[in-house]
């Protein structure tokens, strides 16, 4: 098996973060990739400790030692369970900058975080730290929501036919090489409500709807052919409506366990990740989410 590339998982030792590390170990075993597991003690935590107890207090070294031991125990446990050797990485400072620095040092192919966490990991996924990390990184980010029991089985890849869509399919194939692929796109009749208001008859609007669906289906088929997806290993999912709502509906209806989104939309200035689609999928969906960041 040809290794995909280094995987970097981050943990704050919470339960959800443990799921993320376990999934990262599963992927490392499946893809033949190396795995590093990183814990960052936030700089503000150390600053607060020093403010109350003074610089050089024994509690600071005790905290560092406890974190190292807990990280090593976690690495040993997932390594044994998944038959891999994982590397622990313990550091202090800005969580965002330390993750970026380590990702760059490893040239990581994938960053893995938990969907919920305690302390900095919760802020990392749900707050401004997450937005800054995901806006700046050029590395795919996997947000883990579920306890991993098996390799991903069915992956929904959301397409908008921007230059990022083909890369989203490629990343999905790396992360879930054995999974059945659902290529999803949502279409809408341009100015549908306005056409009705303007008195355009329903037959004409229906004609536009049929044409929009046919165009979207053709583009999905073309992208699948371009990506080299084999017959029987993928299916098209072309639905009418607003994309974020339809993604959540279809991930459940089609029993998917991973959703893949491209970071950007149809133009370089439209950051889909920070817009309504990804926020809605992360807030309302129930499965893991992989954000592809490369064009």
């Amino acid at each position: 098996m040809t290794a995909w590339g280094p995987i970097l998982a981050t943990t704050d030792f919470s339960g959800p973060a443990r799921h993320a590390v376990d999934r990262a170990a599963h992927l490392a075993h499946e893809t033949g990739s190396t795995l590093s597991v990183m814990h960052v003690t936030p700089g503000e935590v150390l600053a607060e400790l020093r403010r109350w107890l003074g610089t050089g207090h024994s509690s600071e070294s005790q905290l560092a030692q406890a974190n190292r031991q807990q990280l090593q125990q976690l690495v040993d446990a997932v390594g044994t369970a998944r038959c891999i050797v994982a590397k622990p990485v313990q550091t202090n400072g800005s969580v965002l900058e330390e993750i970026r620095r380590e990702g760059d040092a490893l040239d990581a192919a994938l960053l893995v975080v938990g969907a919920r966490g305690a302390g900095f990991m919760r802020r990392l996924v749900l707050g401004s730290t997450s937005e800054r990390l995901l806006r700046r990184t050029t590395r795919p980010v996997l947000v883990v929501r579920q306890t991993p029991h098996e390799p991903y089985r069915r992956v929904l890849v959301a397409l908008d036919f921007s230059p990022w869509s083909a890369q989203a399919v490629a990343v999905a194939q790396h992360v879930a090489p054995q999974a059945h692929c659902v290529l999803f796109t949502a279409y809408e009749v341009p100015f549908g409500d306005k056409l009705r208001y303007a008195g355009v008859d329903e037959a004409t609007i229906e004609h536009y709807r049929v044409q929009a669906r046919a165009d979207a289906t053709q583009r999905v088929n073309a992208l699948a052919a371009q990506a080299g997806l084999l017959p029987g290993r993928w299916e098209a999912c072309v639905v009418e409506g607003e994309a974020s709502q339809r993604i959540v509906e279809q991930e459940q209806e089609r029993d998917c366990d991973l959703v893949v989104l491209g970071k950007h939309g149809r133009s370089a200035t439209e950051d889909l990740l920070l817009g309504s689609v990804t926020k809605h999928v992360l807030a309302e969906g129930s499965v893991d989410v992989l954000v592809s960041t490369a064009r």
Side-chain angles (χ1 to χ4, degrees), residues 45-56:
V45 171
L46 295 177
E48 189 72 4
L49 188 65
R50 291 163 184 165
R51 185 172 75 87
W52 285 99
L53 301 177
T55 302

Side-chain angles (χ1 to χ4, degrees), residues 241-262:
E242 198 278 325
S244 60
Q245 296 179 357
R246 296 295 180 260
I247 290 171
V248 173
E249 291 174 359
Q250 292 301 317
E251 79 174 39
Q252 297 171 1
E253 289 185 15
R254 294 175 183 263
D255 193 27
C256 295
D257 48 13
L258 177 66
V259 170
V260 182
L261 302 168

Side-chain angles (χ1 to χ4, degrees), residues 19 106 118 138 150 195-196 221 281 286 295:
H19 297 333
L106 293 171
T138 58
E150 60 184 348
L195 291 175
R196 290 188 181 88
N221 290 331
V281 173
S286 58
R295 177 170 176 173

Side-chain angles (χ1 to χ4, degrees), residues 57-91:
H57 193 276
S58 60
S59 61
E60 186 173 333
S61 60
Q62 291 169 359
L63 174 63
Q65 178 64 21
N67 286 338
R68 281 194 294 270
Q69 290 179 349
Q70 194 168 1
L71 180 61
Q72 187 64 56
Q73 290 171 357
L74 175 61
V75 165
D76 291 343
V78 297
T80 300
R82 301 301 181 187
C83 301
I84 63 168
V85 177
K87 173 187 174 183
V89 180
Q90 168 70 27
T91 186

Side-chain angles (χ1 to χ4, degrees), residues 120-190:
F120 82 85
M121 278 303 299
R122 183 171 180 85
R123 295 194 297 275
L124 174 66
V125 176
L126 300 179
S128 59
T129 303
S130 168
E131 295 180 354
R132 293 196 302 272
L133 173 66
L134 293 168
R135 182 184 293 117
R136 297 174 187 176
T137 187
T138 58
R139 307 182 190 283
V141 179
L142 175 63
V143 180
V144 177
R145 314 176 68 121
Q146 301 174 317
T147 303
H149 297 297
E150 60 184 348
Y152 291 120
R153 299 173 296 102
R154 292 178 63 84
V155 179
L156 185 148
V157 185
L159 308 175
D160 63 359
F161 308 112
S162 69
W164 288 268
S165 289
Q167 182 65 18
V169 176
V171 171
Q173 290 179 289
H174 281 300
V175 172
Q178 304 302 320
H180 184 80
C181 193
V182 178
L183 298 186
F184 166 94
T185 192
Y187 69 93
E188 295 183 90
V189 178

Side-chain angles (χ1 to χ4, degrees), residues 21-45:
V21 174
D22 195 14
R23 173 58 72 183
H26 204 300
L27 292 174
H29 175 77
E30 189 177 13
T31 63
S33 302
T34 60
L35 173 63
S36 296
V37 181
M38 184 177 193
H39 175 265
V40 182
T41 302
E44 61 265 27
V45 171

